[in-house]
Amino acid sequence: MAVQLLITDKNLTVQGDPLDGWTSLDATKRFNVPGSGSVALPARPDIMAQLQPGNRLMVVRDKAVWMAGPLEIPSDFSWSVAENPGVGSVDVSFSCDLAPIAGYITWPTPASAWTAQLANTYRQITATSAETIIRQLVNENCGPGARAERRIPHLALDAVAEVGTSTSVRTRFETLLDTCRRIAIDGGQIGFRTRQTGSQILFGCYEPRNLTSTARFSAGLGNLRSVQAKQSAPTVTHALIAGTEPETGTTGRTYVQAADTAAAASWWRVERYIDGSADNDADGELTQAGKEEIANGAAPVELATVTVDTPGLKAGRDFDLGDKVTVALPHGVEIADLVRSIHLQATPTTGEYVTTLIGSPEATSDPETVKALRTLGRRLGRLETR
């Protein structure tokens, strides 16, 4: 078994020997979304002593960190004479190091105390790359540049990757990672992630790779166990954005349209009305809101595959989150799209199974209610100042 599990404290110091006796591991990495996982362990005293609030779990696969992050449920203990004798068992749930960042919102004036936030004020940034904006938002809200009480311990900025295109953001009291995701989409479909190195957790951006010619999955290649493919019609092809209502006596209301004419031609026209949070499109905010709706409503191709590693193609080594790969379906059709998540399941007896989810930004395993709540939260943040 090439998987090793370690517990660290908040300072990233390993707390004991690698966990042994575990019976199952389930860990999912997600593109621009916090990953999560769970592991079943024997409830021995040496193991229970490590499962403390604030500690972290590291999943090491082939001597490299697959995923690491805080324990969300450090201990879910069970014991019974009939079914679980001896020391009992404990289930542990954990997330990746993007999860603490997801707990923050964007402050309009991040350098000021909460009680000194200004009314009717947005945090507005325009830059030549989406990476610059994402790094700045993370830095000033929870990174080393944030107010002392808001800093995440040991979080630092990774080296600049010089990725992304010119874009802008106007945000107020929105979930930080949701804001970063829409900037990443609008600014060149870039990725962001955390990685552990020494005593630091580094946050940085990166450019997903086009691996469609080298990262290929098919029954003929022997690296595809099963596949489930679903393509849906777009939920929006024309986003119709209206700026905020002008004051009496001022110029008329601004209207902006963003459209995916190719999708409308292939399928049909689907309009969606959006209340913008700016009175004009001088900074491109209304257009950006429309582009985001178009991207999220694109005709999604959901492709869930069960793959097996081969010497020439291995998840985490030869392809990773955000990379564009190709899957050849048994009936001859090939689908190329981004890797949205990589799901690792492992047991000491049966080995590893890797599942990848490939498709549009909305091709996720989240229930529709979760997607709706995320959208609602974003819009409520924009409406707060009205």
Side-chain angles (χ1 to χ4, degrees):
M1 173 62 64
V3 173
Q4 191 178 58
L5 307 178
L6 297 168
I7 298 292
T8 77
D9 63 10
K10 290 182 178 180
N11 297 319
L12 281 63
T13 302
V14 176
Q15 295 299 285
D17 294 330
L19 301 176
D20 63 346
W22 57 275
T23 55
S24 66
L25 169 69
D26 191 298
T28 302
K29 301 192 300 181
R30 298 180 175 90
F31 182 54
N32 291 354
V33 178
S36 61
S38 62
V39 60
L41 295 156
R44 298 196 316 262
D46 62 306
I47 291 177
M48 297 299 291
Q50 299 185 51
L51 304 181
Q52 301 300 319
N55 282 356
R56 303 166 62 256
L57 189 143
M58 293 173 54
V59 179
V60 179
R61 184 184 184 218
D62 295 335
K63 300 182 180 180
V65 177
W66 171 267
M67 189 169 73
L71 302 179
E72 291 193 329
I73 303 178
S75 175
D76 185 356
F77 172 77
S78 63
W79 177 91
S80 71
V81 173
E83 298 180 1
N84 202 5
V87 297
S89 64
V90 59
D91 292 330
V92 177
S93 297
F94 61 98
S95 60
C96 82
D97 285 315
L98 277 178
I101 300 174
Y104 285 74
I105 62 174
T106 57
W107 286 18
T109 53
S112 302
W114 173 251
T115 53
Q117 295 300 301
L118 301 175
N120 302 315
T121 300
Y122 283 84
R123 182 70 176 105
Q124 187 162 316
I125 308 171
T126 299
T128 56
S129 74
E131 176 187 20
T132 299
I133 299 177
I134 292 171
R135 287 170 60 92
Q136 186 168 343
L137 286 175
V138 171
N139 183 47
E140 66 190 19
N141 282 286
C142 62
R147 292 178 57 84
E149 70 272 17
R150 299 187 76 203
R151 293 174 194 158
I152 296 176
H154 303 284
L155 180 65
L157 295 180
D158 209 338
V160 175
E162 298 182 354
V163 298
T165 58
S166 176
T167 187
S168 63
V169 68
R170 189 169 184 261
T171 180
R172 175 183 174 88
F173 305 145
E174 296 180 75
T175 303
L176 177 56
L177 277 194
D178 284 349
T179 305
C180 290
R181 272 193 294 275
R182 62 185 173 91
I183 297 167
I185 292 172
D186 187 59
Q189 295 282 358
I190 65 173
F192 54 81
R193 60 193 171 195
T194 57
R195 65 183 182 93
Q196 180 180 328
T197 175
S199 60
Q200 289 185 314
I201 297 169
L202 300 180
F203 174 90
C205 298
Y206 67 99
E207 185 78 51
R209 301 165 295 178
N210 187 340
L211 303 177
T212 52
S213 62
T214 58
R216 298 176 60 85
F217 302 94
S218 72
L221 292 173
N223 58 7
L224 186 63
R225 290 279 182 87
S226 68
V227 60
Q228 181 175 355
K230 180 177 72 174
Q231 185 172 19
S232 306
T235 57
V236 55
T237 63
H238 289 70
L240 309 176
I241 312 97
T244 55
E245 292 279 4
E247 298 179 2
T248 304
T250 61
T251 57
R253 192 174 188 183
T254 300
Y255 295 94
V256 175
Q257 174 179 283
D260 184 345
T261 54
S266 297
W267 295 85
W268 48 78
R269 182 184 177 107
V270 184
E271 297 180 343
R272 179 172 297 172
Y273 173 81
I274 303 169
D275 266 318
S277 57
D279 56 7
N280 61 65
D281 200 37
D283 295 309
E285 182 185 351
L286 301 181
T287 297
Q288 183 187 39
K291 288 181 178 179
E292 182 185 0
E293 290 291 336
I294 293 294
N296 288 336
V301 176
E302 296 183 41
L303 187 65
T305 65
V306 177
T307 66
V308 291
D309 290 334
T310 63
L313 188 62
K314 188 171 186 178
R317 186 193 70 186
D318 302 306
F319 69 93
D320 216 323
L321 297 174
D323 292 338
K324 180 175 283 190
V325 300
T326 299
V327 176
L329 304 184
H331 54 272
V333 174
E334 291 190 351
I335 296 178
D337 216 319
L338 303 188
V339 175
R340 294 291 167 181
S341 68
I342 301 176
H343 184 191
L344 169 66
Q345 295 174 296
T347 70
T349 56
T350 61
E352 302 173 1
Y353 294 91
V354 179
T355 303
T356 61
L357 182 66
I358 302 165
S360 73
E362 287 298 279
T364 70
S365 56
D366 289 338
E368 292 300 322
T369 52
V370 173
K371 297 177 188 176
L373 287 172
R374 284 178 176 169
T375 301
L376 179 61
R378 182 179 73 250
R379 290 176 176 172
L380 287 176
R382 292 180 179 176
L383 289 171
E384 190 275 337
T385 58
R386 294 187 177 181

